[in-house]
Every structure is written in structure tokens, then in C-alpha cells.
Amino acid sequence: MYNYVKKEMPKNPVVAVAGATGAVGQEMLKVLEQRDFPASKVIPLASARSAGQNVDFKGEKLTIQELTKDSFEGVDIALFSAGGSISEEFAPACVNAGCVMIDNSSHFRMTDGVPLVVPEVNKEEAFNHTGIIANPNCSTIQMVVALKPLYDACNGIKRVVVSTYQAASGAGAKGMAELYNQTKDFLDGKDFEPSAFAHQIAFNTIPHIDVFMDDAYTKEEWKMVAETTKIFGDDRIAVAPTCVRVPVLRCHAESINVELNAPITLDEAKAAFKNAENVELMDDIDNLVYPMPGMLQGTDKTYVGRVRLDPTVENGIAFWCVADQIRKGAALNAVQIAELLVAY
């Protein structure tokens, strides 16, 4: 795609974080620190207006450098979370410098030759890159992590019907601020005008994330369809999504109904979830235990509960799924990909 020359990844690579002042960029730095990623050096990159500011990392102050096309000389891995246009602009300079770009934007996700990787599902694809590895959409990531054990147990998946309950922070800091401010204004009886969202988010749900497309689905919904089949490498999987913004600060939830290719009992399904990599089964309805966004902020696993048979289709399973979309849905998944490259 570019002039990338594959080289052996150092065990202690130099890592750059592009978009280090954004919500996901900050979380990337936090995840690198918390997982003790073996970087010999971490370089925070951002726009010129942020250059010179400091960020905390492992008890030190790192100085943010301006993102330029010369930023990648001597860098082994660059974690990008600065938007699609920035990824597009700087990808050639990054890749041509011999640096592997792990991109959190949507720009390269469906590009031929660019692997779209969720380590719990298709980690082997991370090694088929030519300089760029794409991080999937947050709502797709948690869904495919939860679907993987069912896919493996039942020789694949025929159809998925998913409704998402996506947190305000999915729209960034401005989305969280709007939820805070609107809630206060609503309770105080004050008027307000939406700006981060198309409609009022406080005490409301909005069945509209990203732009509408010609088929009346939104782009967010299209991502879940296209990305799921690419990640599994199986275009036979049919996905019918409805994506909804809800007045929750952080953590996306999803209601998922799956039609499998082979029969599975309820106990077998629960066992598959329980034994799956980085999935935690929270399913004790007698004690009212199930995943909830308000209780799972800052966590790293994909949580599954309310598991039950779906008798309306052959080989049907229904369940509820929650994950922190800033961590597993973005920053953590990117760092996990980097860990694969180092361990290879």
C-alpha cells in the first residue's frame, strides 16, 4: 500500500501516540502504563496547539510533541486516535518510516490489505499487515468478542440481530459534557439546545448514530455489518443492527440475538462464554446479577449476561453484553494489537 519494509519488531519498541490529548489517546497512555507495555520510549503527539504541554506517564512528565511527517523516524509502533483525516494524511510518512500504524479511526478499516483485528477473535491477521492495522468500531469489537465462543462452538453464525445502547462518551468529551449539562438544565427547568447530538440526550434515547445512508441505515450500523464479516472472514454472517444513543456516560451495552449453524444448549452456551478469552459471564438472575454500564466503567473485559434460548429461530441464543467502549472498544484493543506484534 505504501513503501513499508517489514522488519523484526524490537522487544522494547519506541511507541508514539498520535492524538495524545483526546479521550482515547489519553486512555491509550493509561493502558500502556497499566499493562506495563515494554516500550523503550513513549512519545505523545498532538496538534501544534497542544505541543509543549505535559502528560503523566509512569510517574514522569512527557512533553507532547507536534505531530508532523517527521514524527515517525525511529518509531516502531504508532497508535493513532486523531480522526480519519489525520490518519489518512500521516499514514504514508508513518509507514514509509518503517513504523507500524495501529489506527483507531474508520479510515482504513475496510481497505483491502489492511487487517481489521480484535485479538480475541482473529489475532493471526495482525501479522498480515503491510504497515497498517485497523482497530474496529467500538460497538463491533465487544459484539465480536462475545460472538466468538458461539461461532466456534456451532460451526459459525447464520444471523445476528443487535440493538446497541451506546454511551454519550462515544461522541467524545463534548458528548459527555452535553449529557451532564442537559441533565442539570432539565432538572433546573432551564431551556437548552442540543449540539453534540441531533436531539436532547438527557432523559432520552436517540436511534441515530452517525449519518444516515441511502438504505435508511446509519453509518454506525453499516460498520457493524461490514466489520463483523471482515473480522470473522465470513461473509455468510447476516447482521441486522439498530444503534441507539442513551443517557449513559460510559460503557456501551448491546442486546444480541444469534441464529447459529448448529444446536447448542443453554448450559453449553454459558460454558462457552465462561471459558472464552477476556469474556466474563455475569449471569445470576436469582440474585439480580447481570452486566450494567454504570458498574463497569474502567474495566477491560467484555461482560455477558441474561443468556437464554431464543425459541423464535432454529439454534437461537439471546444475551446482553456490556463493555467499556473507551478501553476495550478503542484504547485497550489497540494496545493488545501492539502486544501481539512485540510477542511475535
Side-chain angles (χ1 to χ4, degrees):
M1 189 172 181
Y2 300 111
N3 297 320
Y4 176 73
V5 177
K6 188 169 285 190
K7 62 182 182 182
E8 184 176 350
M9 181 63 64
K11 294 303 180 184
N12 300 102
V14 176
V15 177
V17 177
T21 58
V24 174
Q26 291 178 46
E27 202 72 28
M28 285 173 169
L29 290 168
K30 188 182 297 184
V31 172
L32 287 168
E33 178 174 348
Q34 291 172 342
R35 293 175 72 87
D36 198 22
F37 186 87
S40 61
K41 184 179 182 181
V42 173
I43 304 170
L45 302 171
S47 64
R49 65 178 177 272
S50 297
Q53 298 177 16
N54 292 324
V55 292
D56 294 323
F57 185 78
K58 291 190 174 181
E60 300 180 8
K61 298 287 186 183
L62 301 183
T63 302
I64 296 172
Q65 300 180 21
E66 181 181 357
L67 174 61
T68 71
K69 293 179 180 178
D70 295 323
S71 295
F72 307 102
E73 294 300 326
V75 175
D76 300 297
I77 299 172
L79 307 177
F80 265 73
S81 187
S85 61
I86 298 298
S87 295
E88 180 182 20
E89 179 182 355
F90 287 95
C94 178
V95 173
N96 292 344
C99 176
V100 180
M101 177 186 197
I102 302 175
D103 183 36
N104 193 59
S105 82
S106 63
H107 185 75
F108 292 105
R109 287 177 187 160
M110 300 311 298
T111 301
D112 289 341
V114 174
L116 185 65
V117 176
V118 178
E120 294 86 349
V121 182
N122 65 337
K123 67 178 66 178
E124 66 283 350
E125 287 299 312
F127 310 113
N128 295 329
H129 70 86
T130 55
I132 301 174
I133 303 172
N135 215 31
N137 187 46
C138 52
S139 52
T140 305
I141 288 175
Q142 71 182 76
M143 182 175 75
V144 298
V145 170
L147 290 177
K148 173 65 171 172
L150 298 178
Y151 187 97
D152 289 347
C154 297
N155 193 32
I157 290 170
K158 183 176 181 181
R159 183 172 185 248
V160 181
V161 178
V162 55
S163 295
T164 71
Y165 302 71
Q166 295 181 224
S169 54
K174 66 182 185 300
M176 295 180 72
E178 186 148 310
L179 176 56
Y180 271 122
N181 295 333
Q182 278 190 10
T183 300
K184 185 176 186 301
D185 289 344
F186 184 93
L187 293 173
D188 290 342
K190 296 179 180 178
D191 293 333
F192 50 81
E193 286 292 328
S195 59
F197 303 108
H199 299 281
Q200 170 187 324
I201 186 62
F203 303 97
N204 193 26
T205 58
I206 307 170
H208 169 196
I209 300 177
D210 214 322
V211 297
F212 281 100
M213 303 179 72
D214 291 342
D215 59 1
Y217 282 86
T218 65
K219 191 174 180 181
E220 182 82 358
E221 292 159 351
W222 174 85
K223 291 173 188 175
M224 295 192 76
V225 176
E227 292 177 13
T228 297
T229 58
K230 181 172 180 176
I231 292 165
F232 278 105
D234 187 349
D235 59 11
R236 298 169 298 175
I237 303 174
V239 181
T242 302
C243 293
V244 182
R245 189 74 69 189
V246 297
V248 168
L249 283 171
R250 184 161 165 167
C251 292
H252 291 349
E254 298 175 354
S255 174
I256 303 174
N257 290 63
V258 190
E259 186 176 357
L260 300 161
N261 284 339
I264 191 170
T265 67
L266 185 58
D267 286 344
E268 288 170 341
K270 289 185 177 182
F273 287 130
K274 190 172 183 179
N275 294 326
E277 183 180 5
N278 293 328
V279 173
E280 184 164 327
L281 184 66
M282 297 180 65
D283 195 357
D284 181 1
I285 56 176
D286 290 339
N287 292 297
L288 309 184
V289 174
Y290 29 71
M292 293 180 286
M295 310 299 149
L296 294 171
Q297 297 180 30
T299 58
D300 289 345
K301 292 187 177 182
T302 298
Y303 297 85
V304 170
R306 294 294 319 281
V307 184
R308 56 213 188 273
L309 298 176
D310 180 355
T312 66
V313 295
E314 188 176 17
N315 306 327
I317 290 287
F319 63 94
W320 174 252
C321 172
V322 175
D324 186 321
Q325 91 287 356
I326 297 177
R327 288 185 71 90
K328 182 53 190 168
L332 173 62
N333 199 75
V335 173
Q336 286 178 294
I337 294 170
E339 289 172 344
L340 290 176
L341 299 180
V342 172
Y344 180 63

